[in-house]
Amino acid sequence: MASNTTTVHVALSERSYDIEIGAGLLTEAGRFVVEQTGCSHAVVITDSNVESLHGQRVAECLEQAGTRVDMATVPAGESTKSASHIDQLWRLMLEFAADRKSVVVAVGGGVVGDLAGFIAATYGRGIRFVQIPTTLLAQVDSSVGGKVGINLPGAKNMVGAFWQPTSVLIDTDVLNTLPLREYRSGLAEVVKYGVILDPEFFSYLEANIDGLNNREPNVMRHIVARSCELKAQVVSADEREETGLRAVLNYGHTFCHAFEAETGYGTYLHGEAVAIGMLCASRLAESMGRIDAEVTRRQFKLLDALGLPLAVPDVDQDVLIGAMQKDKKTEHGKLRFVLPTRLGHVELVSGVPVELVRAALVSS
Amino acid sequence: MASNTTTVHVALSERSYDIEIGAGLLTEAGRFVVEQTGCSHAVVITDSNVESLHGQRVAECLEQAGTRVDMATVPAGESTKSASHIDQLWRLMLEFAADRKSVVVAVGGGVVGDLAGFIAATYGRGIRFVQIPTTLLAQVDSSVGGKVGINLPGAKNMVGAFWQPTSVLIDTDVLNTLPLREYRSGLAEVVKYGVILDPEFFSYLEANIDGLNNREPNVMRHIVARSCELKAQVVSADEREETGLRAVLNYGHTFCHAFEAETGYGTYLHGEAVAIGMLCASRLAESMGRIDAEVTRRQFKLLDALGLPLAVPDVDQDVLIGAMQKDKKTEHGKLRFVLPTRLGHVELVSGVPVELVRAALVSS
């Protein structure tokens, strides 16, 4: 890879893999996939938005590298993560005569990665796949961790697998074509990594507001690489979400899931709901005497400077609390939150009094 | 477990598990599942044939052991291993409020085990499952190895996973209710283990024809336990079918798959086609000078005494050979067979001349 490329290693014993991050890497996708996998057949899975922007380029690149290439384009949007689309893709794989040596190449955001990854996890009882995430959120979140799958009606990500990619290629140039709102939504997850794991990274973000807002290449490479590194550390310690360690990644997410569910999916982008959720969680931690007001204030200021929404949605508090009690990470209706103890450190806290949750839902 | 129980350990590092084998164990299923898993919610998956014979008993047993129990009954038959049935079962799991701590209990033959195992492999990104196989074939074959999944149109087992059970409970008494033809079909796979791995076990089978035909309890326990042990040794050495070691289990199966595909699935039971396929493979090995005629003769005599069909189906030879060249285990149309070198040992042989295959298709 070129010299301006950063490599992040995800350590998962025999399932370990590398993430290559740099500007303009998409043009090297063909060579990259063939070098990494030695495959003679690749199936590019992309969506109707990304196909013309990047999907076709990746497919052409792969052909030039000497691989037989097929392409499957699914409709853009969360509703594509369904059993019926998985069935269609399984049949397409068969039509393409994909076998155990074929490689699935996912080109798109989180939906494409989750769907393509689940195809790779199940077709032929599991084949290799390479992720080429094209949204900031997918680059910093779903490209690390191996969670793949689909939704059931009313139950997000209820069916799936832990299936690690063979490798991940991240071209930060693709962020330039990302709509502003979607880009900002990804930044919310970047901020989250600072809050939960790395105060220095948080300070770096505070010091680089302009670079972040202008999508400066060096800033892009650094924030994507550092986010992947931080998530990789957590995932390496708890690959299958069994020890509870991986729960730290859910900072802000109990609130976030309630906002998403009760405003109707689509009102908020995921990162927007995460931003509001982090501030709620931070206020909650304050009210429990776990942190001082400065920690909340710094998050507020940073998220605000990055153009993220900060106000709690106008939904009845009881409805939101009811949704939190039904969250799949909740046990028997007991409210449980990931809360900071200082900038760069969080803990899982059970049995939080409902009055404090209610108070945290009031934007300060 | 009772003193007349045999335990077979399947060594797969952190995915290791035990198989408990004995007469009348079904009545202990509830205690067994609760002891092994500590679950408070079990979903029994069974089929329309097995439900009234054994499925309901297992469900009652589980309830008596203090677990919340739900039951899903699928139509009996291979066509149930489809994407649409998987989708229905995923939705049922959600209706049952199954969560990551729920346990899937498969009560039935190979179809139920494959389907229920794939549900366990994917619901909630993977939950525990206990196998209670109720056919001889499922007891000696699909209860060891972790292969689960469904068919795509025209492609058997094309979608699935390797997902090991938490434990397996085998009640040999259930074999008494098995139709004769189905019972005999299972015996073909038992004979196979002797041929490929264990000449002493083959001799034991030769010496116990009456016990086998009369389904004597001690003989049943021994053949099931020894078959599971032998398969477990192979699977432990090659869990995900990556090193080629696991290929020995496909003795007779290249021929078998061609017979099944070209006579229409359902004409032969799987074990019947295996029996004929083993004799073809043995004749082929003979013609290549790999074994002497005695090895084929002993297999013929044993399979005959167990009431299995031995004559090659009346299908055009070119059609059969064409089917073998399309077999998913074939590489680029090259004919490849698992062939004996002596009783108890087989090898994978590539590039076998088509004239010899043709000759082996003539029943002697």
Side-chain angles (χ1 to χ4, degrees), chain B residues 44-280:
Chain B
V44 173
I45 299 182
T46 188
D47 74 22
S48 48
N49 286 342
V50 179
E51 182 187 7
S52 60
L53 281 170
H54 313 298
Q56 280 167 344
R57 264 174 72 204
V58 170
E60 283 159 21
C61 247
L62 280 160
E63 255 168 18
Q64 281 158 16
T67 304
R68 179 166 75 88
V69 183
D70 286 296
M71 186 148 91
T73 304
V74 297
E78 184 76 23
S79 63
T80 300
K81 276 176 62 177
S82 69
S84 76
H85 279 97
I86 274 292
D87 188 23
Q88 283 174 38
L89 284 172
W90 280 333
R91 288 162 190 253
L92 262 181
M93 292 290 284
L94 194 61
E95 272 180 38
F96 295 156
D99 63 22
R100 288 194 183 173
K101 290 177 179 167
S102 301
V103 171
V104 170
V105 180
V107 183
V111 167
V112 165
D114 284 5
L115 201 62
F118 192 49
I119 288 293
T122 53
Y123 187 80
R125 292 201 193 89
I127 62 175
R128 293 169 299 171
F129 92 114
V130 173
Q131 290 236 41
I132 303 183
T134 60
T135 67
L136 181 56
L137 188 60
Q139 290 179 352
V140 300
D141 184 16
S142 46
S143 66
V144 187
K147 284 188 179 181
V148 298
I150 57 172
N151 304 325
L152 293 183
K156 274 190 84 171
N157 298 321
M158 190 48 92
V159 162
F162 290 91
W163 193 251
Q164 305 299 340
T166 311
S167 48
V168 178
L169 185 78
I170 296 182
D171 182 349
T172 51
D173 277 357
V174 304
L175 300 177
N176 295 327
T177 58
L178 214 57
L180 181 60
R181 221 183 127 192
E182 220 178 300
Y183 171 70
R184 286 170 166 168
S185 168
L187 287 178
E189 291 276 354
V190 174
V191 170
K192 186 193 76 177
Y193 291 116
V195 180
I196 65 174
L197 292 164
D198 187 348
E200 277 179 41
F201 184 51
F202 191 90
S203 302
Y204 171 89
L205 298 174
E206 290 177 317
N208 285 277
I209 303 284
D210 287 349
L212 288 165
N213 284 331
N214 300 329
R215 312 188 196 185
E216 280 174 19
N218 287 338
V219 175
M220 292 302 95
R221 194 168 83 233
H222 181 66
I223 64 166
V224 171
R226 187 64 190 143
S227 297
C228 287
E229 259 171 31
L230 290 166
K231 182 160 183 190
Q233 284 167 17
V234 175
V235 168
S236 295
D238 182 18
E239 183 179 0
R240 297 187 64 91
E241 217 163 38
E242 288 164 338
T243 66
L245 278 176
R246 198 161 166 160
V248 302
L249 299 171
N250 291 323
Y251 174 56
H253 281 65
T254 309
F255 288 101
C256 158
H257 292 153
F259 300 154
E260 289 177 321
E262 298 308 330
T263 59
Y265 289 100
T267 305
Y268 288 95
L269 295 182
H270 180 65
E272 293 172 342
V274 168
I276 306 168
M278 289 195 290
L279 292 177
C280 291

Side-chain angles (χ1 to χ4, degrees), chain A residues 90-105:
Chain A
W90 280 333
R91 288 163 190 252
L92 261 180
M93 293 290 286
L94 194 61
E95 272 180 39
F96 295 156
D99 63 22
R100 287 193 185 174
K101 290 177 179 167
S102 301
V103 171
V104 170
V105 181

